[in-house]
Amino acid sequence: MTHDVVIIGSGFGSLTAAALLARQGLRVCVLEQAKYPGGSSTSYKRKGYWFETGATTLVGLDADMPLRYLLDQIKVKLPVQKLEPPMQVHLPDGQTLTRYGDFDAWIREAERVFGPDNQRPFWEHCYRISKQVWRTSLQQQSFPFSNVKDLLLSWLRARPAQLKLIPGAFRTMEEVLGKYGLLQNKLFVDFVNEQLLITAQNSMEEVSELFGATALCYTLYSNYYVPGGLINLVKPVVTYITNAGSTIQYGQEVQYVKPQQQGYEVITQKETFRCTYIISGVPLNNTANIFQDARVQQRLQKYIMPSEKLNGAFSMGLVLKRKEPLPVVLHHQVHVPEGLPFIGSKSIFISFSHPADASRAPAGEFVASISTHVSHPELHQLADKEQLEEAILTALMQKGIIHRDQIISVQSATPGAWIFWTKRAFGAVGGYPQYKQIKPWQMKDARLDHKGAYVCGDTVYPGQGIVGVCLSGIIAANKLLQDHF
């Protein structure tokens, strides 16, 4: 059978593109190598418990944000619970910082912890930029440019407020902190760097003002918990796709893509699929390996990042006994200034299942997902995990976030396990880090061969996080439709 579009991978960027194309009446076939949809934005079941695969926080349902746009387009509603406050950060000096969603409450908290000097103007500046970045991203779905039509459409959609963002592509967050006299505030600098590492995969010296301001402000937007885990973010979109007459096939690991005179052949370990158009939703490193077109591979080389520029993750899943008091705040970041053994990571992120959510664990129990960054993941496969596990648990217990007598079971995964589960090159997760020499218009455009092949996911513009990956799928679908319909 020949499909209109084959999409490789069922990450949230792929599902976004599939839903928007199916809405236009195209016959889409999504090929997923695993047994669950969603990629790093989903959940998996182990021994009766549901753990998050990668992402644990849900942002993007506010006006002018990509996830809101997608759900409005396909008329899907999500079963979500709003979190307030979204998160707490446990700082090296022993203070606990609450990241309130209400702007004024957050400013009062930031001034309490970091001092009153320039906190309000700094955060007002970042929040203003972040709102304009999200608004512009949806207005400029032909960006980055890679043909004349892109330029024309972007010019027609240009607004004065968009042009004001351009200087922010040339400033780093380090320069922004310097502008507000905050570089001498070491506690604040450390906080900013660890927050940027979660959201932009790099530090203030490398992350531009555009990406950095947006990354720092994610807790100032509505944050949600999805009962049952993020698999229940994915399922309604999958249902929409299949109800629209398209398909998702599991256990279909793509080996090669062969361009044909008309369309493409997609070869998995089981069978061959034929299509007129194709979208790769897997990382650019993987895309280059499977796409049998010398020109595509050559074009991709300047975008592909080696392991030393990427981040992997060491992740843990805990099953815990319910113990009073139950966690009020579900997401915590713990700073570890001395660094963790073997990997040197200086922060840990832990997310709890909601105490009222009985679908992820039996009565009297709940689960937690833990992650920390692993730089240069190809070098850190970490065969001996016990010492690192113990260091992470000790740091969490010292902050009173968990207690030893609560722990029922522990499982952990290294970058090597990420390669096994997800097939992602090097076991890298979280998308491509932001680097100051790469401006937004220099990031990978959605087109692969300027014929019928496209790409989306967390390694292309803009990538990173559910909301960014959703935007990458919107852009890929828009450019396919713009080029051919």
Side-chain angles (χ1 to χ4, degrees), residues 263-302:
Y264 303 85
E265 281 189 349
V266 184
I267 297 94
T268 74
Q269 76 276 34
K270 295 179 179 178
E271 56 190 298
T272 297
F273 297 81
R274 292 173 178 82
C275 57
T276 307
Y277 311 106
I278 187 167
I279 298 176
S280 175
V282 298
L284 292 178
N285 304 63
N286 297 77
T287 299
N289 289 335
I290 63 176
F291 216 93
Q292 293 195 332
D293 184 316
R295 287 175 297 179
V296 168
Q297 292 175 346
Q298 185 177 11
R299 287 172 181 158
L300 285 178
Q301 289 311 305
K302 67 178 181 179

Side-chain angles (χ1 to χ4, degrees), residues 124-333:
E124 286 176 342
H125 175 78
C126 290
Y127 192 37
R128 182 173 62 254
I129 288 176
S130 72
K131 288 190 287 187
Q132 187 55 48
V133 165
W134 286 124
R135 189 176 302 117
T136 297
S137 295
L138 284 176
Q139 292 168 341
Q140 291 288 359
Q141 293 181 31
S142 297
F143 187 83
F145 324 122
S146 63
N147 64 22
V148 173
K149 192 173 183 179
D150 282 348
L151 285 167
L152 177 60
L153 289 171
S154 294
W155 174 258
L156 293 173
R157 296 164 182 162
R159 303 290 183 270
Q162 298 171 8
L163 300 177
K164 292 179 182 179
L165 291 174
I166 294 174
F170 295 91
R171 285 191 292 263
T172 66
M173 285 307 298
E174 182 179 37
E175 292 171 312
V176 177
L177 264 68
K179 173 185 174 181
Y180 288 96
L182 294 169
L183 286 177
Q184 288 70 44
N185 189 334
K186 185 178 185 306
L187 188 66
F188 185 66
V189 168
D190 289 345
F191 162 77
V192 166
N193 274 330
E194 293 305 319
Q195 289 287 291
L196 288 175
L197 193 58
I198 293 175
T199 47
Q201 303 293 311
N202 218 327
S203 60
M204 65 179 186
E205 297 87 356
E206 293 288 351
V207 178
S208 75
E209 181 181 37
L210 293 185
F211 288 111
T214 306
L216 288 177
C217 289
Y218 78 96
T219 53
L220 294 174
Y221 295 90
S222 301
N223 281 238
Y224 295 91
Y225 176 80
V226 184
L230 285 172
I231 186 73
N232 290 327
L233 160 68
V234 170
K235 281 180 176 179
V237 182
V238 169
T239 298
Y240 176 87
I241 293 166
T242 55
N243 286 347
S246 292
T247 60
I248 299 181
Q249 297 199 29
Y250 301 100
Q252 294 281 6
E253 182 180 348
V254 173
Q255 308 292 308
Y256 303 104
V257 175
K258 292 183 177 180
Q260 304 295 301
Q261 191 167 7
Q262 295 291 327
Y264 303 85
E265 281 189 349
V266 184
I267 297 94
T268 74
Q269 76 276 34
K270 295 179 179 178
E271 56 190 298
T272 297
F273 297 81
R274 292 173 178 82
C275 57
T276 307
Y277 311 106
I278 187 167
I279 298 176
S280 175
V282 298
L284 292 178
N285 304 63
N286 297 77
T287 299
N289 289 335
I290 63 176
F291 216 93
Q292 293 195 332
D293 184 316
R295 287 175 297 179
V296 168
Q297 292 175 346
Q298 185 177 11
R299 287 172 181 158
L300 285 178
Q301 289 311 305
K302 67 178 181 179
Y303 300 105
I304 291 174
M305 289 189 185
S307 174
E308 56 264 31
K309 287 192 171 184
L310 299 174
N311 292 304
F314 182 81
S315 58
M316 298 172 64
L318 305 184
V319 178
L320 302 166
K321 298 176 186 175
R322 290 171 66 93
K323 182 181 178 72
E324 300 294 340
L326 296 172
V328 175
V329 180
L330 299 188
H331 304 297
H332 297 257
Q333 185 189 42

